[in-house]
């Protein structure tokens, strides 16, 4: 078999399915797991804004409202907040950038590779962070969040693609679930930093949480530069020698190893079969391939695309982002909580501690049962919180019970739908449309995240 450079690449195979994948070494596990670090970058960026919007200095700077007196009434506390339109703009403008960033990331990843697309996303993100850090008003802050959003869109779409294509099959679900775990760690770190700077009466109150984001981008972009690109990307580009070298590094085996040769033969065979089913044409026809097939046929590309985009839409419709984006503001406006920043920190900690459960359950029980039971648990908690808040929402004891059920609700999300939706979109698309399918699914996540 010849690769695209004209070199002859000999690929051997075996009929023994038990010999296809190499034993999983700690080095190989670490290499694919490192990509999950992108979740910290994503989670921190999503979480820091929740606390910043509740900081007295930031509110005063953005609105010009005077600080409340030493012992403010509930009405004075409620009045000292960002206007609804300003609050929504600051929060949702990031999602506008991430939506378009995720869509175009698939094309870029097919052209320059998965790894380089992630590095490019980190670079764009840091430009946006610099603008946000320098801001002293609404305009530059919004522009910075929009630009940073493009970078987050690149990374959030392609990091899933990269991990799914590089991970050994036996641990793929756990590795991709690790991405969601890293998101929760990012949210927790953001809550801790916000908690530490909330009382500062200078620009450091919001500039410190914003600027720290550059550290995560530098670590991710710098670290992934030393990792191999996806072997499936090289197979798609016809560069079989590079695909073999990439697999060799990822599996910790020599290129001539039967493990590497057998897995490469399987990837090549799958790709050639998928090309027969979904022939490649012009640029626009390759996009159209994502929507070909019948709705009645489970294996059609149309069904896969609808499933991927719907999964991410439903993950956002669970409502969990209300807690992580607007939790501090919400708890503050209840008027019965002394320290809303601490409550937000607690809910984020519950999120972190619950997610690792999915590492085992997603492989033990499968994707679908986990999603079904998780949705049922969240449904029950949401109904109970809504009923308590409507019937007796001014009672401090009732508010404490509401917070308890919010934490249980977060447990169900973090251990099921949080990681489950990402795992599914990384697995369901054939290689010819995988980058675009994952990009569309991630764009759906950010569209409904607004």
């Amino acid at each position: 078999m010849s690769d695209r450079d004209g070199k002859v690449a000999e690929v051997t195979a075996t009929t023994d399915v038990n010999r296809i994948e190499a034993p999983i070494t700690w080095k190989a596990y670490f290499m694919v797991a490192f990509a999950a670090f992108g979740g910290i970058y994503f989670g921190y960026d999503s979480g820091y804004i929740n606390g910043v919007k509740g900081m007295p200095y930031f509110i005063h700077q953005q609105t010009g409202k005077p600080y409340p007196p030493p012992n403010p009434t509930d009405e004075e506390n409620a009045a000292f907040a960002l206007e609804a339109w300003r609050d929504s703009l600051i929060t949702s403008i990031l999602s506008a950038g991430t939506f378009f960033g995720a869509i175009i990331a698939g094309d870029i990843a097919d052209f320059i590779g998965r790894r380089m697309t992630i590095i490019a996303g980190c670079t764009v993100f840091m430009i946006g962070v610099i603008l946000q850090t320098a801001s002293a008003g609404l305009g530059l802050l919004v522009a910075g969040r929009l630009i940073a959003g493009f970078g987050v869109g690149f990374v959030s779409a392609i990091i899933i693609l990269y991990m799914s294509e590089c991970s050994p099959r036996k641990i793929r679900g756990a590795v991709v679930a690790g991405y969601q775990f890293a998101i929760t760690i990012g949210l927790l770190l953001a809550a801790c930093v916000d908690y530490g700077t909330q009382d500062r009466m200078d620009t450091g109150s919001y500039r410190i949480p914003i600027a720290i984001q550059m550290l995560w981008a530098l670590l991710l972009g710098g670290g992934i530069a030393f990792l191999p690109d996806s072997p499936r990307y090289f197979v798609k580009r016809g560069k079989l020698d590079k695909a073999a070298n990439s697999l060799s590094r990822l599996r910790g085996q020599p290129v001539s190893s039967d493990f590497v040769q057998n897995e490469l033969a399987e990837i090549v065979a799958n790709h050639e079969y998928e090309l027969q089913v979904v022939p490649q044409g012009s640029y626009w026809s390759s996009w159209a391939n994502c929507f070909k097939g019948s709705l009645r046929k489970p294996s059609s590309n149309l069904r896969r695309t609808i499933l991927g985009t719907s999964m991410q839409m439903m993950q956002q419709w669970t409502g969990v982002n209300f807690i992580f984006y607007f939790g501090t503001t919400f708890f503050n406006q209840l008027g019965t909580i002394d320290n809303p920043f601490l409550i937000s920190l607690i809910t984020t900690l519950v999120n972190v501690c619950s997610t690792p459960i999915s590492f085992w359950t997603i492989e033990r029980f499968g994707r679908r049962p986990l999603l079904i039971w998780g949705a049922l648990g969240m449904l029950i908690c949401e109904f109970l919180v809504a009923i308590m808040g409507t019937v007796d929402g001014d009672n401090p004891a009732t508010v404490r019970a509401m917070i308890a059920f919010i934490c249980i609700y977060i447990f169900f999300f973090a251990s099921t739908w949080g990681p489950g939706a990402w795992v599914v979109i990384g697995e369901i698309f054939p290689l010819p449309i995988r980058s675009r399918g994952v990009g569309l699914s991630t764009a759906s996540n950010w569209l409904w995240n607004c």
Side-chain angles (χ1 to χ4, degrees):
M1 184 179 296
S2 299
D3 64 16
R4 189 164 291 182
D5 297 326
K7 298 177 181 178
V8 176
E10 183 178 353
V11 178
T12 60
T14 178
T15 57
D16 182 2
V17 296
N18 293 318
R19 295 183 60 205
I20 288 177
E21 287 199 321
I24 301 169
T25 65
W26 279 108
K27 178 185 176 183
Y29 188 87
F30 175 77
M31 289 178 73
V32 294
F34 176 80
F37 186 85
I40 293 180
Y41 159 111
F42 173 10
Y44 186 93
D45 185 69
S46 299
Y48 88 87
I49 200 64
N50 172 33
V52 164
K53 291 184 303 181
M55 293 178 179
Y57 183 86
F58 184 78
I59 295 172
H60 173 70
Q61 183 195 62
Q62 292 291 327
T63 66
K65 294 178 180 179
Y67 293 109
N71 295 305
T73 63
D74 292 343
E75 291 76 14
E76 289 172 326
N77 267 332
F80 187 68
L82 296 175
E83 302 93 330
W85 69 267
R86 195 186 301 266
D87 191 333
S88 297
L89 176 62
I90 292 172
T91 302
S92 62
I93 194 65
L94 179 84
S95 296
T98 52
F99 173 78
F100 292 106
I103 287 180
I104 65 176
D107 285 337
I108 296 174
D110 278 347
F111 183 67
I112 66 172
R114 284 47 166 154
R115 186 184 60 168
M116 288 304 299
T117 304
I118 294 169
I119 294 172
C122 291
T123 304
V124 172
F125 176 76
M126 285 192 289
I127 294 171
V129 171
I130 290 170
L131 294 178
Q132 292 176 71
T133 306
S135 69
L138 184 63
L140 195 57
L141 177 66
V142 168
R145 281 182 63 78
L146 178 63
I147 293 171
F150 276 93
V152 175
F154 278 31
V155 173
S156 60
I158 305 306
I159 207 80
I160 292 294
L161 183 64
Y162 180 82
M163 287 190 294
S164 297
E165 291 186 343
C166 293
S167 301
R169 185 164 37 209
K170 296 175 184 176
I171 61 169
R172 184 181 299 142
V175 167
V176 178
Y179 173 72
Q180 177 65 24
F181 179 55
I183 291 175
T184 66
I185 293 176
L187 288 166
L188 178 61
L189 290 172
C192 291
V193 174
D194 285 345
Y195 188 72
T197 65
Q198 61 174 312
D199 295 325
R200 290 180 64 112
M201 289 302 168
D202 56 26
T203 57
S205 60
Y206 70 89
R207 282 178 171 161
I208 291 173
I210 292 174
I212 285 176
Q213 296 176 98
M214 283 189 283
L215 174 62
W216 316 134
L218 284 170
L219 288 173
L220 176 63
I224 209 162
F226 295 97
L227 298 182
D229 211 330
S230 162
R232 285 168 175 80
Y233 161 72
F234 288 126
V235 167
K236 184 172 182 177
R237 302 291 290 183
K239 300 177 180 179
L240 300 187
D241 285 345
K242 291 185 176 180
N245 288 330
S246 175
L247 264 180
S248 173
R249 291 182 62 190
L250 287 167
R251 301 296 181 257
Q253 301 285 333
V255 173
S256 58
S257 162
D258 286 345
F259 292 117
V260 172
Q261 290 296 313
N262 292 336
E263 187 172 354
L264 180 59
E266 181 190 32
I267 294 171
V268 171
N270 285 339
H271 181 53
E272 290 176 348
Y273 170 76
E274 289 164 352
L275 284 177
Q276 294 173 2
V277 177
V278 187
Q280 297 296 288
S282 66
Y283 172 79
W284 294 111
S285 66
S286 64
W287 268 106
N289 285 336
C290 295
F291 305 97
K292 287 185 177 178
S294 170
L295 275 173
R296 297 183 178 181
K297 186 178 180 182
S299 61
S300 73
N301 287 348
L302 178 61
R303 280 280 291 266
R304 294 171 191 265
T305 301
I306 291 175
L307 175 61
T309 54
S310 299
M311 285 288 295
Q312 291 296 320
M313 177 182 72
M314 292 300 176
Q315 188 202 57
Q316 294 305 304
W317 279 12
T318 61
V320 73
N321 279 342
F322 175 80
I323 303 300
F324 298 125
Y325 282 174
F326 302 100
T328 302
T329 305
F330 170 69
F331 295 136
N332 188 45
Q333 291 177 346
L334 286 176
T336 55
I337 296 176
D338 294 331
N339 194 335
F341 282 88
L342 183 59
I343 300 300
S344 291
L345 185 59
I346 291 171
T347 57
T348 307
L349 189 60
V350 171
N351 194 26
V352 172
C353 294
S354 303
T355 302
I357 297 172
S358 66
F359 295 177
W360 177 74
T361 56
I362 206 161
E363 299 292 358
R364 174 63 178 82
F365 300 108
R367 282 56 163 162
R368 187 168 63 173
L370 207 65
L371 296 172
I372 292 172
W373 287 107
L376 180 60
M378 286 188 287
L379 173 70
I380 293 171
C381 291
E382 286 175 325
F383 264 112
L384 290 174
V385 170
I387 292 168
M388 286 186 288
T390 303
V391 174
D392 194 24
D394 295 328
N395 186 333
T398 303
V399 172
R400 286 194 290 270
M402 288 169 61
I403 292 171
F405 277 104
I406 287 173
C407 289
I408 297 172
Y409 157 80
I410 292 172
F411 162 79
F412 279 111
F413 173 84
S415 57
T416 59
W417 273 85
W422 293 111
V423 172
V424 169
I425 69 167
E427 295 178 336
I428 60 175
F429 295 103
L431 185 56
I433 66 165
R434 184 173 294 157
S435 62
R436 291 187 173 96
V438 174
L440 285 169
S441 300
T442 308
S444 173
N445 178 290
W446 288 109
L447 174 66
W448 300 107
N449 186 286
C450 292

